[in-house]
Amino acid sequence: MFPPDAGDPLAAFDPAPLWEEPIPLGHVRTLPPFPVDALPRWVADMVAAVAEETQTPPDLAGCTALAALSTAAGGRAVVDVRGGWREPVNLYIAVALPPANRKSAVFARLTAPLLKAEQVMDENAIGAIVEAETTARLAKAAAEKAAHKAAGAAPDKRDELTAEAVALAKTAESVDVPARPQLVADDATPEAVASLLAEQRGRLAVLSAEGGIFDIIAGRYSGTPNMEVFLKGHAGDLLKVNRQGRREYIENPALTMGLAVQPAVLEDIARVKGFEGRGLLARFLYSLPTSLVGRRKVLTDPVPADVADTYAQRLGALVLSLADWTDPAILPLTPDANAALVERQERTESRLADGGMLAHVRNWGGKVDGAAVRIAGLLHLAAHDQAWTRPIDADTVRAAGRIAEYFTHHALAVFDLMGADPARDRARIVLDHLRQRKAPVVSKRDLFTGLSRAEFPITADLDPVLALLEDHGWLRPEPAPERRGRGRPPSPRYETHPHLHTPGG
């Protein structure tokens, strides 16, 4: 018997927690759903309603809605973060879904207001276009008549008439005929995209429910990859375009990419030479939703008329309110919004460190906070009338951060699909080694000693592998022993999952 105040004799006994079933290295974790509630209400309502009507994952509609907002505002607004850091608001988004997922239906519902706005812009511009065409035609005719007259003039009159002809030719050449407004292109060639960007004063969207654009960029027609316009169109870098016999300069191109592709397309493009090396893949935000095929309702609720009307009116108004801006609207951050962004940046920086979750995709991870800023700009423009008259607040930055976090987890899954994580392959080597050792506890030094130097030249090469195995539940770190005396510190030790050292495991 123990005295009443002695307590439970097992109270001091702290058994190790039970092991859960480990996650296979080839297994894709359950990915987060698209945070629809992070969108402005009128956008969120449309996204949810379209997803219900089409029986598609909300991710598809959510990403398409972001691409639609980017089409409306790209090239017409920038977020002024701090110092010299400014971000445009155009996005590159790729959603990967198998066939039969009604991608085209979702695209059609969410991008229809853009096409309607394009028609309105065309109707508004047609008068000026006709006037400029007529002026150009008359100026060219006058220049040709003057040149003909100079050619047949007497020697004493030729110089005077030639100068007059030259002046008229210069006038004819200087007449600028505006292009008919165009917001959206489909699977156009890089050359066509560059020409359209020049015509449309530096902004354009490529929206497609297919992945053919990747084949075109990879060189389907030319035989060699051509991605310059897609690299510069995302970053806003100076783009030179040879068009109609003359070179044009687009100082701040703003290209939007909104694509729905099959997952196999992402696997294929990872093998195209130059895609990753030049950073094209790092510019995309990726979504890898779970297909609902086989679990869809046959009778669904249609998109409510008021939801569709509000979405069409608000998106169309956003397009038209920014259509005639020559200089972009500047969207500053409030101090609280800047503080929220700093907090996010610090978290991202730790993830980019060796062994961090973004260490193996640093090209992508280094751009994710910029993407969050771009998304914040779009959410702000969508949420407020004349949004350029007020700064972006902290709640908007946090909402954009939630969407960026969604894209972060999906990007990791996509890059794994592309085979971009060398730590995963090395982790399989370590797992095989642990199965052979059948040791319940192992130190990092013991592992390094027993592994090939070809795969692990230095001990630091084990860090991302051990972090991955720990994350998947194969290893559990032991508390670091107290260091006594001089000499090198004890090597970290890990418990291994029973599957690795018990019979039948």
Side-chain angles (χ1 to χ4, degrees), residues 64-73 107-121 181-184 203 205 207 256 311-312 314-320:
T64 306
L66 282 177
L69 292 175
S70 174
T71 302
F107 261 69
R109 290 303 302 264
L110 288 158
T111 62
L114 298 174
L115 304 180
K116 180 64 176 177
E118 187 177 276
Q119 292 176 358
V120 174
M121 292 166 60
Q182 182 173 347
L183 290 173
V184 179
R203 77 153 171 183
L207 305 179
T256 291
Y311 176 81
R314 294 290 296 266
L315 183 58
L318 182 59
V319 173
L320 297 176

Side-chain angles (χ1 to χ4, degrees), residues 153-159:
D156 61 328
K157 297 286 186 179
R158 186 170 297 163
D159 287 347

Side-chain angles (χ1 to χ4, degrees), residues 235-258:
D237 295 335
L238 177 67
L239 180 65
K240 299 177 182 179
V241 181
N242 291 317
R243 188 169 67 91
Q244 297 177 353
R246 66 180 187 271
R247 174 169 289 184
E248 297 186 357
Y249 296 85
I250 309 173
E251 291 189 1
N252 302 112
L255 183 63
T256 291
M257 299 275 278

Side-chain angles (χ1 to χ4, degrees), residues 7 11 21 74 97 110 123 133 153 173 186 220 229 247 249-250 255 274 308 329 358 369 372 381 427 453 456 481 501:
E21 190 69 17
L97 271 172
L110 288 158
E123 292 168 0
E133 287 175 341
E173 185 65 26
D186 204 329
R220 177 200 292 172
V229 66
R247 174 169 289 184
Y249 296 85
I250 309 173
L255 183 63
L358 297 177
D369 288 334
L381 287 166
R453 293 290 79 77
F456 300 93
H501 57 79

Side-chain angles (χ1 to χ4, degrees), residues 475-490:
L475 297 179
R476 181 187 292 163
E478 287 191 335
E482 182 181 351
R483 184 175 179 181
R484 297 179 180 177
R486 298 181 179 180
R488 63 182 181 180

Side-chain angles (χ1 to χ4, degrees), residues 111-184:
T111 62
L114 298 174
L115 304 180
K116 180 64 176 177
E118 187 177 276
Q119 292 176 358
V120 174
M121 292 166 60
D122 187 67
E123 292 168 0
N124 293 341
I126 195 66
I129 293 172
V130 170
E131 181 179 347
E133 287 175 341
T134 303
T135 301
R137 187 165 56 251
L138 292 174
K140 184 178 180 181
E144 290 175 350
K145 183 177 180 180
H148 182 72
K149 185 177 180 180
D156 61 328
K157 297 286 186 179
R158 186 170 297 163
D159 287 347
E160 179 183 349
L161 293 174
T162 298
E164 182 181 345
V166 169
L168 288 170
K170 289 180 178 179
T171 299
E173 185 65 26
S174 67
V175 177
D176 182 29
V177 179
R180 300 188 71 162
Q182 182 173 347
L183 290 173
V184 179

